[in-house]
Amino acid sequence: MVGSTHEALHRIFQKDPTLLTKALQRVLEVPFPEPREIAAMNVDLTEIEPVERRVDTLLRAETDEGTYLLVVESQGEPDSRKRGSWPYYLSYLYEKYRCEPVLIVTTQSRATAKWAAQPIELGFPGWESLTVRPLVLGPDNVPVIADEREAVRDVPLAVLSAMTHGRGRQAPAILESLAAALKTIDRDSAAVFVQFVDSCLDDPQAKQMWRDLMTAIQYFWRHPLAEQVREEGREEGREQGRVQERTEMVLRLLEWRGVPVSGPVRERVNACADLDQLEIWAQRAVHVTDAAELFAEE
């Protein structure tokens, strides 16, 4: 199970290596050649000396123009130590594999993206012996995918969009589109993507809305992230607690999607003690445009 934003922002490329080359070509507009084959590699760059050197994700891409090593670093904030470690990674990898290394930095922070994009120049000013130019994927260049049809066309890119932009006013449309798109792919892949997104949502409201969406489509409860929620439910241990939780979920989904909730609708939802009925209303709350449509077939 993915345990942090840092892990999710680079491990998504291990799950779908082709996403990285698509990001280079479409997002950063880098004319990277289409890989014939791409595979994950050992990320440990430690030598005999007791100094740990480890990249986040390392991929080997075989193309018609040669073999490239794609070095992915997830960065939460600026770190002056990278001025030494990033050039080391690239030099070591070239020396070991004799393949051209490409450094890609992923981040959710605009300030960090701006910092990471600055070239690292080592040597005498004007006569630098080594220059490192990272390619950066962040909020300013990863596309916002808030349309369901667009999300379905490229689910991994929609996942990266949610991981990067899943906050603020855009979050509802982004997460709702992705939730619908996840139903079109195999459940094992979807389970991994759900975890990546959950790990990257640092806005508590957005995280709760994401879990509500996954519950509403009867999917969330089948993957490992659900264990935490199920454990909390067992601690409550009462039917009334489960009813209250489901009731709040129905109303939150409507309010989050911007659907007005009238007094009578709120009263009827709050008065319901049938978990099965509340589950049906929660599923409908993901799609209705009028809150009264929750009860359309009753």
Side-chain angles (χ1 to χ4, degrees):
M1 176 175 173
V2 180
S4 69
T5 299
H6 175 93
E7 289 296 302
L9 278 173
H10 70 86
R11 283 178 56 187
I12 185 175
F13 300 115
Q14 297 177 18
K15 170 59 183 173
D16 186 350
T18 62
L19 174 61
L20 187 55
T21 56
K22 285 189 292 186
L24 291 175
Q25 296 164 348
R26 303 179 192 176
V27 178
L28 298 178
E29 298 183 350
V30 173
F32 191 83
E34 195 67 33
R36 296 191 308 271
E37 181 182 346
I38 189 166
M41 299 177 64
N42 188 344
V43 298
D44 191 349
L45 309 185
T46 305
E47 299 181 89
I48 296 175
E49 293 83 356
V51 178
E52 182 178 358
R53 302 287 190 179
R54 185 180 297 272
V55 297
D56 288 334
T57 284
L58 179 62
L59 303 174
R60 184 184 185 110
E62 302 283 353
T63 78
D64 290 336
E65 299 178 19
T67 301
Y68 295 88
L69 301 178
L70 304 179
V71 185
V72 184
E73 283 282 282
S74 173
Q75 198 68 30
E77 59 186 20
D79 183 350
S80 61
R81 293 173 298 178
K82 299 301 182 181
R83 176 178 166 83
S85 61
W86 284 347
Y88 170 88
Y89 294 163
L90 302 182
S91 299
Y92 175 84
L93 287 168
Y94 180 78
E95 176 63 22
K96 181 175 182 178
Y97 296 105
R98 294 295 169 174
C99 300
E100 299 296 336
V102 180
L103 175 61
I104 301 103
V105 179
T106 62
T107 182
Q108 292 180 306
S109 165
R110 284 184 168 84
T112 301
K114 183 177 180 180
W115 162 83
Q118 298 176 357
I120 298 173
E121 298 178 331
L122 303 180
F124 186 75
W127 299 92
E128 290 77 12
S129 300
L130 178 64
T131 300
V132 175
R133 297 175 56 199
L135 297 169
V136 181
L137 293 169
D140 288 332
N141 54 22
V142 172
V144 174
I145 299 181
D147 178 79
E148 180 179 330
R149 289 172 297 180
E150 188 177 358
V152 169
R153 282 196 297 269
D154 196 333
V155 176
L157 190 58
V159 172
L160 185 60
S161 174
M163 292 165 62
T164 308
H165 300 286
R167 65 183 73 181
R169 293 179 300 174
Q170 301 175 104
I174 293 172
L175 298 180
E176 186 176 348
S177 298
L178 177 57
L182 287 175
K183 293 187 289 185
T184 67
I185 65 175
D186 69 276
R187 298 186 70 85
D188 290 339
S189 294
V192 176
F193 288 146
V194 168
Q195 294 179 50
F196 286 150
V197 173
D198 190 272
S199 296
C200 284
L201 293 175
D202 53 6
D203 181 336
Q205 183 177 10
K207 186 184 287 285
Q208 185 58 55
M209 291 305 110
W210 176 243
R211 292 184 172 187
D212 286 348
L213 280 169
M214 294 298 96
T215 302
I217 63 175
Q218 293 185 319
Y219 174 75
F220 180 80
W221 300 92
R222 296 188 57 157
H223 68 72
L225 274 175
E227 285 302 322
Q228 176 184 346
V229 182
R230 280 201 291 266
E231 190 62 36
E232 292 170 358
R234 281 192 286 268
E235 290 176 3
E236 293 179 5
R238 296 181 182 275
E239 182 79 3
Q240 185 58 42
R242 291 193 293 271
V243 169
Q244 182 65 29
E245 178 181 315
R246 196 60 55 86
T247 297
E248 293 174 355
M249 182 181 70
V250 173
L251 297 174
R252 276 201 308 267
L253 281 169
L254 292 171
E255 293 168 353
W256 179 55
R257 295 183 59 241
V259 178
V261 180
S262 65
V265 169
R266 187 179 299 276
E267 291 175 7
R268 183 167 177 180
V269 173
N270 282 327
C272 182
D274 185 334
L275 276 172
D276 291 336
Q277 183 62 69
L278 288 169
E279 176 65 30
I280 292 173
W281 289 347
Q283 293 180 45
R284 292 177 183 171
V286 178
H287 305 290
V288 298
T289 56
D290 184 324
E293 295 175 12
L294 290 179
F295 322 120
E297 300 177 9
E298 299 165 22

